[in-house]
Amino acid sequence: RDVDAAINFVKSKGFKKIGLLAQSFGGGPIVLSAERNQDSVKALALWASNIDYEATLNADLPWPKKYFGPEAMKKLEPQGFVEVGSRKFRLGKKFFEESKTVTPYKILKNLKIPALFVHGKKDEYISYTLALKYSKAIGAKCIIVENGGHGDDEFLKEAIKPTLEFFQKNLK
């Protein structure tokens, strides 16, 4: 709903071609919103984005293992939530239920909107192999930043310029 509200605000200012950029768990919401707003969303950039919740939550990477692995899940039932990250962001049971049924990657396959994937090969949160898999599935360009992590400086150094070029090309 937040993404839809932002799109409606931009449209109210007279913009007719809108590009969306998201990183990490923001990838899913922009794909879902793009589906509802195909009249105006003309380009999607997915930076280290999670569009396959189940695969990410079950990944054998340090971050998902710590926050979504068996030890963390033991806390879900008695507490009703899992605390994630250094800020102790709470994810409740509903999040985990929806992660099994909300599938942005399936929606992305049906969109006729150009997409760009950029992902760090050293990402410890979301596997870069998902970017390779889903970009290939829709025929989108995928840039793998060899020494990039999950939005770190090395990632940003390699992601910004091609993303700007992608938007300039697709939002003419």
Side-chain angles (χ1 to χ4, degrees):
R1 291 183 189 143
D2 290 342
V3 178
D4 290 346
I7 289 169
N8 288 331
F9 175 76
V10 171
K11 285 168 57 173
S12 77
K13 299 297 180 188
F15 293 93
K16 299 197 185 325
K17 293 182 179 181
I18 299 168
L20 299 177
L21 166 72
Q23 182 176 359
S24 196
F25 271 91
I30 71 163
V31 171
L32 299 172
S33 186
E35 179 186 36
R36 292 187 294 271
N37 294 282
Q38 291 184 66
D39 61 316
S40 50
V41 175
K42 302 300 179 191
L44 298 173
L46 299 159
W47 282 7
S49 283
N50 184 12
I51 60 171
D52 186 341
Y53 301 144
E54 196 163 10
T56 298
L57 296 179
N58 293 313
D60 195 27
L61 293 171
W63 191 84
K65 279 177 70 173
K66 179 178 181 179
Y67 294 110
F68 306 119
E71 288 303 310
M73 291 299 105
K74 286 180 186 175
K75 298 174 186 175
L76 183 60
E77 200 55 46
Q79 290 182 168
F81 62 86
V82 173
E83 291 183 327
V84 177
S86 59
R87 294 188 180 145
K88 307 282 187 205
F89 184 75
R90 291 182 175 183
L91 297 175
K93 291 177 186 178
K94 183 80 170 160
F95 170 82
F96 293 97
E97 290 167 8
E98 287 181 355
S99 71
K100 295 174 184 169
T101 61
V102 177
T103 52
Y105 67 93
K106 289 181 182 177
I107 292 166
L108 185 63
K109 288 180 182 180
N110 296 323
L111 295 179
K112 302 299 179 219
I113 299 170
L116 171 69
F117 289 74
V118 185
H119 212 108
K121 194 167 188 177
K122 294 183 178 178
D123 192 324
E124 293 184 338
Y125 293 58
I126 300 168
S127 175
Y128 76 95
T129 60
L130 294 174
L132 291 170
K133 176 181 177 178
Y134 294 118
S135 63
K136 184 177 181 181
I138 65 167
K141 182 175 183 180
C142 183
I143 299 168
I144 300 299
V145 179
E146 200 64 33
N147 293 310
H150 193 72
D152 61 12
D153 289 344
E154 186 66 28
F155 173 88
L156 292 172
K157 187 170 74 172
E158 300 294 323
I160 292 172
K161 185 177 179 192
T163 302
L164 288 172
E165 291 169 352
F166 168 77
F167 281 130
Q168 289 169 337
K169 175 184 173 189
N170 290 289
L171 299 176
K172 285 183 185 178

